[in-house]
Amino acid sequence: MSGQTPKDELEGTEQPFVEHLVELRDRLIKALLAVGVVFAVLAVYPGPAGLYDLLAAPLVANLPQGATLIATSVISPFLVPLKITLMAAFLVALPVVLYQVWAFVAPGLYSHEKRLVLPLVVASTVLFASGVAFCYFFVFGQVFKFIQSFAPKSITAAPDIEAYLSFVLTMFIAFGAAFEVPVAVVLLTRMGVVTIDQLKAWRGYFIVVAFIVAAVITPPDVVSQLSLALPMCLLYELGLWSAKIFIRATKAPDEEEAGSSDKTA
């Protein structure tokens, strides 16, 4: 009947707490198995040593003739490649891990929330991977070339493998997080923390903040700082454009009804 109050969309889908724990355990096991399988494959080919050689390629290509990385700890030649293999396995298996997270939380979300969460999960994964790839394929080569051009001829460059891994991880996280700017903009506008017009008005402040963040996080050279700050500014504009689409596509039913009543009034 038209006079009846519509039922809640999630009514009847509740599960006992124990069932939630069992499902969470199963999802975690599947995610860990995915990482473990990828780790085993990568350990066979190209192997931990091969992965480290691949990671160190941008630096090695800009070292002086005959120079190599060194290990100052006895166990570093074993542990460092192993850490890289585990990191690579997690990144490769990330789609499976995120799917398990999505499959666990999706039954408890309304349809309009699913339209928001799933695209953001996919977009954040793609953007983070894009930031890491941009850092590896473009930024590293330019940064290491710039740094080596300033090295005195009396100094033999032989970086430590653990220090290099720490530097690489820091840069990967910095660029991956910086590329998440559109996701942050969409979330802030969709939750009503700020409006799109406010973010447009704050564009100049964000540009200043982007260059300050780049100066603090990246090495003290112009190339790496510009390589981080400029993409952040461009992605800020992409976030403003995406926010308009997401806000329209993920409105709750009560918001849609309120919007239609405002138009008729």
Side-chain angles (χ1 to χ4, degrees), residues 48-95:
L51 284 174
Y52 191 89
D53 290 340
L54 182 64
L55 189 67
L59 175 61
V60 174
N62 291 281
L63 289 177
Q65 186 73 23
T68 61
L69 280 77
I70 62 172
T72 56
S73 174
V74 176
I75 200 171
S76 291
F78 171 76
L79 281 184
V80 173
L82 205 61
K83 291 178 182 177
I84 293 175
T85 307
L86 184 60
M87 179 186 70
F90 178 78
L91 290 176
V92 173
L94 189 58

Side-chain angles (χ1 to χ4, degrees), residues 10-25:
L10 298 179
E11 186 177 343
T13 62
E14 298 87 356
Q15 293 181 352
F17 181 69
V18 176
E19 291 188 17
H20 279 295
L21 290 179
V22 172
E23 184 182 1
L24 177 61
R25 180 203 61 188

Side-chain angles (χ1 to χ4, degrees), residues 3 50 154 179 232 234:
S154 57
F179 272 56
M232 287 180 67
L234 295 176

Side-chain angles (χ1 to χ4, degrees), residues 4-254:
Q4 292 179 340
T5 302
K7 293 183 178 180
D8 188 274
E9 185 182 340
L10 298 179
E11 186 177 343
T13 62
E14 298 87 356
Q15 293 181 352
F17 181 69
V18 176
E19 291 188 17
H20 279 295
L21 290 179
V22 172
E23 184 182 1
L24 177 61
R25 180 203 61 188
D26 293 341
R27 297 294 179 188
L28 286 174
I29 291 175
K30 291 178 182 178
L32 291 175
L33 280 176
V35 176
V37 170
V38 177
F39 179 84
V41 173
L42 293 178
V44 175
Y45 181 83
L51 284 174
Y52 191 89
D53 290 340
L54 182 64
L55 189 67
L59 175 61
V60 174
N62 291 281
L63 289 177
Q65 186 73 23
T68 61
L69 280 77
I70 62 172
T72 56
S73 174
V74 176
I75 200 171
S76 291
F78 171 76
L79 281 184
V80 173
L82 205 61
K83 291 178 182 177
I84 293 175
T85 307
L86 184 60
M87 179 186 70
F90 178 78
L91 290 176
V92 173
L94 189 58
V96 178
V97 175
L98 291 177
Y99 172 77
Q100 297 302 325
V101 175
W102 169 251
F104 178 73
V105 302
L109 299 177
Y110 291 99
S111 58
H112 69 277
E113 292 173 332
K114 293 179 182 179
R115 293 198 301 267
L116 172 67
V117 174
L118 183 57
L120 287 181
V121 169
V122 174
S124 60
T125 305
V126 173
L127 287 171
F128 189 88
S130 300
V132 172
F134 178 76
C135 181
Y136 178 81
F137 289 105
F138 175 75
V139 177
F140 279 172
Q142 302 301 319
V143 169
F144 297 145
K145 184 184 298 183
F146 181 85
I147 293 175
Q148 290 301 320
S149 66
F150 278 84
K153 294 182 179 180
S154 57
I155 296 177
T156 300
D160 177 60
I161 59 174
E162 287 194 69
Y164 179 69
L165 176 61
S166 176
F167 170 81
V168 166
L169 289 180
T170 301
M171 292 290 285
F172 279 172
I173 293 173
F175 276 82
F179 272 56
E180 300 291 341
V181 169
V183 176
V185 171
V186 169
L187 285 176
L188 289 174
T189 53
R190 184 63 189 86
M191 292 187 299
V193 178
V194 293
T195 64
I196 296 177
D197 291 334
Q198 287 176 322
L199 290 177
K200 287 181 179 179
W202 297 341
R203 183 182 285 116
Y205 296 105
F206 179 82
I207 293 174
V208 174
V209 171
F211 277 88
I212 292 175
V213 170
V216 172
I217 294 178
T218 60
D221 65 276
V222 179
V223 176
S224 57
Q225 292 174 8
L226 289 177
S227 299
L228 181 60
L230 293 180
M232 287 180 67
C233 296
L234 295 176
L235 290 167
Y236 185 80
E237 299 298 327
L238 176 62
L240 294 176
W241 176 78
S242 302
K244 298 178 182 178
I245 300 175
F246 270 87
I247 290 175
R248 288 197 302 265
T250 60
K251 284 185 178 180
D254 55 344

